[in-house]
Amino acid sequence: MRSHLSLAPLAIALFTLLGAPLAPTAGAQGAALRVDRFTVHQGLAQNNVSAVAQDRAGFVWAGTPRGLQRFDGYAFVRYASLDSAAPRELEERISALLVDAEGTLWVATPRAIFRRAAHGRRLTRLPLTNVFTAWAPDSVGRLWVLDGGALRWVARADTGARLVTVRVDAPAAGCPAVATSRAGGLWIGCERDDETRVVHLDPATGARRTYRAAEARGVRALAEDAIGRVWLGGNGGLTVLEPGSTRFRAHPVFRGTVVGDVRPQRDGGVLVLAEEMERTTGAVSRLDRAGRVTQQWTPREVFAQVPLAHQLMVDREGGFWIATVTQGLARLDVTRPVFDQVSSRSGPRLPFASDFVVALHESLDGSLWVGTLRGGAYRVAPDWGRLEAFLPDARDSDALPSVDVWDFEEDAAGNVWIATSLGICRWAPPGLRCHRASGVEGAGGSSLAADADGWFWLARSRRGVIAFDPASGRFGAPVPTSELAITVYADRDSGYLWMGGEGLRRVKVKHGQVAGPIEPVPTAQPASAVIFEVQRDHEGALWLASEAGLQRWDVAARRFARVEVPELRGTTVYSIEEDADGRFWLGTGHGLVQYSPATGISRRYRREDGVTDGEFNRRAALLRRSGEMVFGGVEGLTVFRPSQVTGHRGPTPVVFTRWRRVTAQGVVETALDGVDDLRVGPGDRAVTLEFTALAFAQGPARRYRYRLEGVNAEWVESTERTVTFASLPPGRLVFHVQAAAGAEEWDEPGASLRLHVVPPVWRTWWFRALAAAVLLALAWALHRARLRRALETERLRLRISRDLHDEIGAGLSGIALLSDAAGGGVRLPERERAQLQRIGRSARRMAKDLRDIVWAIDPDADRLEMVVSRMRDVADDLLPQAQVRFHAPPAEALSGTVGMAARRDLLLIYQELLHNVARHAQASAVDIHVVVGREEIELQVSDDGRGFEPAAVRAGTGLKSMRERATRVGARLDLTSARPGGTTARVIMRRA
């Protein structure tokens, strides 16, 4: 069965409704109108929105009876959160909002007007005398204000702004609207005595002229367009004053409507926001220069109830913002989306019996063939204006045999062949001719390919692959395959037929016959994974779409190898289509993926990017000759132009909207308003920055990259709008962020924010300087204390040595002398004389030992020259019978000191060595060498005595004592001896 459906009546019906030529809202392909609603559930202070405006940065401002709010596309922020010094009035009723040509934001409240410069962060208040009524900017930048019954204008200067009253005899009272004239002067809409009039006033001269608007009631909007027409909207619809006319006339299309706003366009047309009170619907209409309605948008999901829409604002992306009394804010995206969705549910709709599209083909005449699962086949005219359906019909033998249509192919004569589950059909005017192939089991196929000889090859799932001759309409012999066969690809250059399914095989074919062995082809996937498509790119490389992802033929290895594409992880690739720039577009189970083999860059497009259909699970992908690309999915057709998806749309400003600090007291969150410098305190443990690209239109999702100058030089990419830093280093850092839409290039320069990270007190320069000064002072004090203690110790040592020498030494010497004198008496017996001699010897020995002690503690003896001199004296005393040769540097060459403890131990070791020589060596000559180096003192005692065997000598008390003393002062003691040959002792001690 074949049926013809025309889409033209949809446009005709709208034409009749509006009484003027109408361009379809969604364009030729029928994209649905996107509507975004914002109410108290999204953060609005109240659903009654009195005003809406967009500033130069891109923020949208909303005025409600509960104050002024800023919107960044994600969150509404009350103005008091942006400015802690904001007056109370901005938390109450907002009457109107306006952004002038200089980017200044004007905010009107009932009793005052506030002015905020484009790059300012504070509002300047201008008090009103009466109650705000209306305002309008003129061509020279002045803002005119109706202040109750007075006409005033804002005079701006470097020091601020003020309101100036114009004293003219003008009817300002009861006039709710004002507009400026291109020729100079003002238009004022007034209502008096149930009559609506519009007054043209020249404020400079006071001249005025009144125009009657008999059909207008309840003035709501007043504007002059680019060609001089004056439009008046209100409860009585829309009226217009043509140039040169003296009366307003009603526009017929808007009779019975309430016009809430009129916005002139640069081309001379106007946008009209109107409501049909009786039908409880509303619409935004575009009128051309001739006053004809050329487009109209009627979003019933927004205007399902009477919203009392009273303001229309067009943002810089072309979207319409509608402020309503009862339903908050609505944004209508009237621009043509990058991705169009065409299905039985789109508007205008294509009446498919099933939206599950599994096959696509473009015939030579430009028609688009669409095969569906359970819905038959469709032929769509090149202009999308006519659709022809092909469905099964039991009464027609040539009707489509099945509702499942899997593939299309075109023969050399231009006939289109349709592969279904139960057979193959040829379409050629005037109709179909189908082949069910009696005697051939499973003549239908899931994939169809034409080889170089013009034969078709059909993949038949478990029944293998079969040939078909379109010229004769007969089937050839089946090609047996043990695995599932889902797809076939006939390579016309090599003559190979590739068969994919559970595994991959190829075979040479010629004239519908197998001309060689069937060869298994190794792939990079498990045996159970399925291959869905084999495709050759413009360079001749072979590619596979499979459950294992994307694979490419490796010529050297003679096998298919997996291509690592990050966006394909965890999903199945069903189809491959190459665009004119060599990029691959891949249909997957999770959206569309764009992949460039040349650069390796990939990008996924999903619902948030405008791709309504999130699943493309069949081999339905097509690049049309016009450059348009079509993909079939479970929800219909997705249509787009690759150049529009990947092309640059112009920079979108990136702004900082909020920051959070984790402090010892908790989380502190602050909204940002145009700041470029933030202070991070020493107690802030972590900082989170929130930013966004101010874009409200649908399209590819934004991605971001950022870097923190002063910490890292590399960009970090992310799809998140926030970044958190912990333990930032002290100093001045700069945070940079850039945005991009989809696969576009990065918008430069992006946005920057300086961060002044204040260090803790102990990490500041002044604290470190103070600490260093304190440490230096402490070190100096300790040094002075050590010097004092050293001096006191020296004085004590000197005093002790002198006391010992002067008192005890003198006493011992006196005892020795007295004992000698008493022992010399002749009357003493021999026994007493011997005792007195022993007393004298003991006293002299004690005096000698005392001299050694006095020398050891005497500070003057610390000098190295004194140590060497003492060694010389000791040698003369202990070795009176031997020839002593003492070698030491001259006194003037001996500098430095030796500590008391080290000096004493060194002298005792020296004395013990000389005692051993005197008692045991029987030496006739002794050589003593004292070598003083920069770091060491070396003492060497050598004799020519009888020597000893070191191995046979038992370590006595003397040797043990010497080694202990040497260890205590960090010295090394070496003894060498031979029998005969004498003995040499070496003591090496480091200088302090």
Side-chain angles (χ1 to χ4, degrees), residues 461-521:
S461 299
R462 294 292 180 185
R463 299 184 181 90
V465 176
I466 191 172
F468 176 77
D469 182 9
S472 63
R474 61 184 180 86
F475 289 90
V479 179
T481 57
S482 57
E483 298 88 0
L484 176 70
I486 290 180
T487 184
V488 289
Y489 171 70
D491 189 348
R492 301 186 181 187
D493 295 329
S494 64
Y496 274 109
L497 177 69
W498 297 79
M499 300 169 288
E502 292 177 345
L504 182 65
R505 298 176 181 274
R506 69 176 184 178
V507 62
K508 285 273 190 178
V509 294
K510 191 172 182 63
H511 300 301
Q513 299 291 326
V514 172
I518 299 176
E519 306 172 17
V521 181

Side-chain angles (χ1 to χ4, degrees), residues 757-787:
V757 184
V758 181
V761 174
W762 58 87
R763 297 183 66 178
T764 57
W765 67 268
W766 60 266
F767 181 86
R768 292 178 177 178
L770 179 62
V774 171
L775 289 176
L776 287 175
L778 289 175
W780 175 250
L782 290 174
H783 176 66
R784 292 293 302 273
R786 291 180 61 189
L787 285 178

Side-chain angles (χ1 to χ4, degrees), residues 29 35 40 129 192 311 390 397 464 500 585 613 668 732 808 833 898 902 915 932 944:
Q29 294 175 8
V35 179
V40 291
T129 304
R192 285 186 177 179
Q311 186 183 355
F390 300 88
S397 60
W585 293 86
D613 198 336
V668 179
R732 294 192 176 273
I808 299 176
R833 183 181 289 112
V898 180
H915 275 301
V932 179
D944 60 353

